[in-house]
């Protein structure tokens, strides 16, 4: 039986992501599990300018690569040296993504099992202050020449790999290179135990960067499966590559239901504003329905952009929804169109001078405005959603007060209620929004039997 061989790879590039950058140098060392049996390296013409910061780091400039082969010219050699061998590198996903991407551009379909020496060192030599290649070489007395050049870093990685094989009394490397190993997919700086602790339950998860700041919040029906999906696939776009490199830790909170996970995800994103969350940020309310009384004594209903210094009657994600509600109120309560403004006027600007004929009686008109507001406020109902808990001995509860999300929490199964409002004392308060209320309204319509309203549960529709 042929002994397993390893291809230890290091590359230098024009930038940090495979989709927009190119390889400028590559070194491949073949290791048979005992010793080095072959070695090859070359500069590569990237067919694009090398940025000055990259030159400052590596010392490779445009003149040096001018007469070097382009990647297409060496692609068959690279493929021949990698085929059938385990791909080894320090922060393996970086080197692997570049090599795979450029082989694909050269017309070759190639994949390989991977081994990350960052992860292997964390397992076999736990407790070191840093696992960067330079710091590991210092800590473990590994000689290194030509730092930040492909050949020098590959030589250092090969020595590190030999030492890890020697020290690996628990067979960690064998476990890591199995096809099913999660280590093949985890980001290089993420401790495996952070992933392993994730339960297969609904909830919210948090990704942290090196300084313990939350950089992403997500919700899941199955926490472990959803988090794993972030690390699968071969996406070489810079946003994803930077995202994976920034993940240094994971925490989570189990939720009883998907709805609670959705609500918690939204509120946490609004509170923490993580760098990599973009989708839910667009649901920030932008417009409001306002109520004014002019110097003339007439009352107005006005749609305008939200102003944090001016409270509104109702907030909306978009101007269309706000205008639609105001039109509906004006029609239902026969409010004169001149007192409904669909863009917020400047202070003091209300009825124009040439539009003051046949104005309604001020008392009757103001009464119509007040009736419309009373109608709007009175239709904000209070109710609870009672659902399954995180375990068999508890229930989850969400409290809606006067048409706004008040909070959510958990109660033990032995607690009984005579009034829905009693649930208010058992929930953690959160800030409401139109987006949250849309989620709750959709859920309530789908599951009416879980709504506790006016001393009873709504019956499921036949």
């Amino acid at each position: 039986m042929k002994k397993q061989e390893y291809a230890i790879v290091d590359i230098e590039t024009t930038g940090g992501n495979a989709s927009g950058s190119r390889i400028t140098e590559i070194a491949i060392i073949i290791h048979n599990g005992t010793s080095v049996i072959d070695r090859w390296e070359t500069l590569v013409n990237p067919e694009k300018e090398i940025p000055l910061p990259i030159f400052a780091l590596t010392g490779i400039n445009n003149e040096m690569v001018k007469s070097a082969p382009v990647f297409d010219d060496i692609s068959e050699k690279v493929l021949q040296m990698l085929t059938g061998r385990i791909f080894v590198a320090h922060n393996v996903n970086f080197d692997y993504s570049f090599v795979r991407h450029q082989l694909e551009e050269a017309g070759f379909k190639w994949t390989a099992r991977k081994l990350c020496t960052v992860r292997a060192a964390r397992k076999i030599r736990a407790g070191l202050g840093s696992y960067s290649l330079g710091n590991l070489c210092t800590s473990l007395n590994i000689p290194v020449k030509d730092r930040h050049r492909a050949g020098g870093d590959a030589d250092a990685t090969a020595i590190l790999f030999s030492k890890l094989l020697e020290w690996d009394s628990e067979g960690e490397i064998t476990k890591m290179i199995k096809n099913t190993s999660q280590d093949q997919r985890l980001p290089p700086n993420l401790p495996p135990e952070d992933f392993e602790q994730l339960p297969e339950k609904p909830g919210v998860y948090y990704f942290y960067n090196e300084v313990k700041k939350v950089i992403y919040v997500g919700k899941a029906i199955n926490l472990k499966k959803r988090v794993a999906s972030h690390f699968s696939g071969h996406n070489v776009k810079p946003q994803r590559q930077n995202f994976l490199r920034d993940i240094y830790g994971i925490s989570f909170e189990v939720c009883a239901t998907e709805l609670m996970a959705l609500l918690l995800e939204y509120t946490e994103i609004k509170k923490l504003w993580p760098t990599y969350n973009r989708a839910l940020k667009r649901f920030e309310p932008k417009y409001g329905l306002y109520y004014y009384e002019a110097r003339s004594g007439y009352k107005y209903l006005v749609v305008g952009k939200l102003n944090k210094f001016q409270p509104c009657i109702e907030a909306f994600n978009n101007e269309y929804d706000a205008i639609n509600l105001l039109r509906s109120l004006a029609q239902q309560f026969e409010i004169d169109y001149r007192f409904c403004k669909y863009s917020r006027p400047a202070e003091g600007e209300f009825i124009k001078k040439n539009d003051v004929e046949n104005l309604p009686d001020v008392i009757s008109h103001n009464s119509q405005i007040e009736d419309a507001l009373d109608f709007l406020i009175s239709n904000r109902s209070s109710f609870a959603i009672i659902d399954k808990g995180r375990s068999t001995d508890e229930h989850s509860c969400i409290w809606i007060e006067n048409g706004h999300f008040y909070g959510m929490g958990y109660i033990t199964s032995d607690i009984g209620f005579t009034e829905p409002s009693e649930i208010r004392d058992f929930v953690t308060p959160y800030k409401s929004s139109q987006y949250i209320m849309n989620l709750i309204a959709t859920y309530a319509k789908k599951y009416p039997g879980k709504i506790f309203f006016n001393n009873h549960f709504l019956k499921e529709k036949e």
Side-chain angles (χ1 to χ4, degrees), residues 28 40 70-83 102-103 106-108:
I28 303 175
W40 174 77
V70 298
F71 192 87
D72 275 8
D73 293 341
I74 64 168
S75 58
E76 289 190 25
K77 173 70 172 177
V78 171
L79 184 66
Q80 176 263 319
M81 294 194 76
L82 298 180
T83 299
Q102 292 209 219
L103 281 173
F108 296 107

Side-chain angles (χ1 to χ4, degrees), residues 262-320:
L262 279 166
L263 301 182
L264 182 59
E265 176 197 36
Y266 177 85
T267 55
E268 291 289 71
I269 288 172
K270 292 303 177 188
K271 180 174 73 175
L272 300 170
W273 216 248
T275 302
Y276 289 100
N277 282 104
R278 288 177 174 83
L280 283 180
K281 290 181 180 180
R282 68 177 183 269
F283 292 111
E284 187 74 11
K286 297 177 178 65
Y287 293 89
L289 177 64
Y290 294 89
Y291 158 81
Y292 291 99
E293 182 171 338
R295 287 190 292 268
S296 62
Y298 283 99
K299 295 181 178 179
Y300 289 75
L301 293 176
V302 179
V303 168
K305 288 187 177 180
L306 285 181
N307 181 339
K308 62 182 179 180
F309 302 110
Q310 178 68 47
C312 64
I313 301 164
E314 195 78 54
F316 302 86
N317 291 333
N318 57 72
E319 191 174 17
Y320 173 82

Side-chain angles (χ1 to χ4, degrees), residues 25-219:
E25 189 174 40
I26 184 168
I28 303 175
I29 297 173
I30 306 303
H31 197 292
N32 66 4
T34 304
S35 60
V36 172
I37 60 174
D38 196 8
R39 186 184 188 282
W40 174 77
E41 69 175 296
T42 182
L43 287 165
V44 182
N45 185 341
E47 302 178 275
K48 66 184 300 182
E49 292 290 309
I50 297 174
L52 284 174
I54 299 297
F55 162 64
L57 177 68
T58 67
I60 300 173
N61 60 28
N62 294 312
E63 189 64 30
M64 291 170 63
V65 299
K66 186 176 180 180
S67 58
V70 298
F71 192 87
D72 275 8
D73 293 341
I74 64 168
S75 58
E76 289 190 25
K77 173 70 172 177
V78 171
L79 184 66
Q80 176 263 319
M81 294 194 76
L82 298 180
T83 299
R85 293 170 172 138
I86 292 170
F87 189 98
V88 180
H90 206 70
N91 188 0
V92 71
N93 288 328
F94 176 82
D95 302 78
Y96 184 88
S97 67
F98 270 88
V99 173
R100 179 174 169 179
H101 184 63
Q102 292 209 219
L103 281 173
E104 284 181 355
E105 288 188 335
F108 296 107
K109 278 286 186 182
W110 166 82
T111 59
R113 286 186 289 167
K114 298 176 288 184
L115 177 69
C116 182
T117 49
V118 177
R119 290 204 155 280
R122 286 184 184 276
K123 288 175 176 287
I124 298 167
R125 275 288 183 269
L128 298 178
S130 170
Y131 289 86
S132 69
L133 184 60
N135 288 331
L136 276 175
C137 288
T138 301
S139 301
L140 303 176
N141 298 315
I142 295 172
V144 57
K145 295 179 180 179
D146 295 327
R147 186 76 177 94
H148 297 301
R149 289 295 298 270
D153 286 353
D155 287 337
T157 304
I159 297 171
L160 171 62
F161 179 62
S162 293
K163 287 181 176 290
L164 293 174
L165 285 171
E166 179 186 342
W167 296 331
D168 187 16
S169 58
E170 300 297 322
E172 296 292 351
I173 289 176
T174 300
K175 297 174 192 172
M176 290 175 69
I177 61 179
K178 287 181 179 178
N179 284 326
T180 56
S181 174
Q182 184 63 41
D183 284 280
Q184 302 287 351
R185 300 183 291 274
L186 294 183
N189 299 310
L190 177 66
E193 56 270 21
D194 277 24
F195 177 79
E196 290 161 7
Q197 70 175 342
L198 292 167
E200 296 185 357
K201 294 180 178 179
V204 169
Y205 57 93
Y206 305 78
F207 289 156
Y208 298 84
N209 66 8
E210 191 172 9
V211 295
K212 308 300 182 186
K213 181 180 178 181
V214 175
I215 57 172
Y216 185 82
V217 177
K219 73 91 186 171

